[in-house]
Amino acid sequence: MTAPLPVRPPEPPATTVPLHKAPGPRRPSRLLAPLRQTGQLFALALAVARAVFKRPFQFREFIEQFWFVASVTILPAALVSIPFGAVIALQVGSLTEQLGAQSFTGGASVLAVIQQASPLIVALLIAGAAGSAICADLGSRKIREELDAMEVMGVSPVQRLVVPRVLATMGVAVLLNGLVSVVGTLGGYFFNVIMQGGTPGAYLASFSALAQLPDLYIGELKALIFGFIAGIVAAYRGLNPRGGPKGVGDAVNQSVVITFMLLFAVNMVLTAIYLQIVPPKGG
């Protein structure tokens, strides 16, 4: 009998040394991050605009959010508008006195309150009080993975949560703008007549001589757009927090700052367009 031939163990595979390392996926440049976030913000605004007309509409959520936004902004807006209108009336009254045009104090101060001060006051208070709460609420839901669970169940977080909040900020901004305009005008009237010795008849006559109905329209339009911006920015930062609970706090601060910057930029654009389209009264 012949002995079986010994089986040679398999040789280990030869290790090949790569000549060069394969390039990995390229990371996006940090310089493009603001552009990417801006695009995502506009995409969210477009998604909200589309979801407004979809059914079912979350009417109960809208009422709750409307009441919440109104409850946290009505009293601060009324209290802020009084000194704001007074400061405008005092400054305009002092300037018109130097120029010898005291009869136009009422019209100039009231127009400044209605066109510029009132929409900005409303928007800043909504962004600071209600917008921060909206951002914190959505951010806490995001880190608890509630929004992911809604998407798994086929429920759109934008239609269910974001749309009622954005519509609530817009509605409250429009209604609150009227309140702030009235309170600011009364405050300016009081300080101009009592503090600076102006006459009530001249104050009202100058207002009726300079003011026109489109001045009120542009104020309400600004309030509507500013409320939309405040709601969209708060919702966007709340839906995209980073770093857990600390990231939610950072997102709240960022939402307020971004909203303030956008408000002043948009206000400048709207004012420039209005002055080009609508001629002054008597012009």
Side-chain angles (χ1 to χ4, degrees), residues 184-203:
T185 301
L186 293 178
Y189 173 84
F190 175 81
F191 278 87
N192 180 257
V193 173
I194 303 299
M195 302 284 296
Q196 294 180 323
T199 58
Y203 192 94

Side-chain angles (χ1 to χ4, degrees), residues 40-49 52 62 65-66 68-69 73 119 122-139 157-159 161-174 222-240 251-252 254-260 262-263 266:
Q40 294 174 356
L41 179 63
F42 277 96
L44 177 62
L46 183 60
V48 170
V52 169
F62 168 73
Q65 294 300 320
F66 189 95
F68 167 74
V69 176
T73 53
V122 170
L124 295 179
L125 288 176
I126 287 181
S132 58
I134 291 174
C135 181
D137 178 39
L138 294 177
V158 173
Q159 184 180 2
L161 300 175
V162 178
V163 170
R165 285 162 172 78
V166 173
L167 293 180
T169 56
M170 295 173 63
V172 173
V174 172
K222 284 183 178 181
L224 184 68
I225 296 176
F226 293 168
F228 179 76
I229 292 175
I232 287 295
V233 174
Y236 171 73
R237 293 307 306 151
L239 294 176
N240 299 277
V252 171
Q254 293 173 6
S255 68
V256 175
V257 175
I258 293 173
T259 303
F260 284 10
L262 290 177
L263 289 179
V266 174

